[in-house]
Amino acid sequence: MTVKKARRIRNGLMIAGFIIMLLAYVYKPLFYIGAVVMFLCLIPHFLYNKCPHCGKQLGRNEGDFCQHCGKRVDD
Ligand SMILES: [Zn+2]
């Protein structure tokens, strides 16, 4: 699992969860399903949004370089 892949999965889950929550206007229980899907996006975020060199959590850093050691995070 690469950082870029993890970010893509996280963003995909976030958007999917958001769309499902909007569909709750049509079918109410979808709100909870959407909330769960959005919550799932935290898993790739915390498990894989880490620097492959120093292993530190990248947090809100969306760039190509680690803010801890300065190396590229996408190789
Ligand atoms: Zn690093």
Side-chain angles (χ1 to χ4, degrees):
M1 177 71 79
T2 64
V3 171
K4 287 237 164 119
K5 219 183 219 172
R7 284 173 180 169
R8 249 201 312 272
I9 293 169
R10 182 199 61 195
N11 293 342
L13 284 170
M14 207 136 75
I15 292 163
F18 184 69
I19 291 167
I20 294 168
M21 280 169 99
L22 287 180
L23 291 174
Y25 281 109
V26 184
Y27 181 61
K28 267 228 162 106
L30 284 176
F31 180 85
Y32 301 101
I33 296 165
V36 168
V37 171
M38 277 183 101
F39 182 77
L40 287 177
C41 82
L42 292 174
I43 295 169
H45 181 73
F46 284 109
L47 285 184
Y48 302 110
N49 196 32
K50 286 177 182 168
C51 173
H53 304 286
C54 66
K56 284 184 182 156
Q57 177 60 241
L58 292 168
R60 287 165 177 269
N61 178 7
E62 296 290 318
D64 289 334
F65 298 93
C66 171
Q67 73 268 43
H68 302 289
C69 65
K71 289 177 182 163
R72 285 190 79 88
V73 295
D74 61 347
D75 44 46

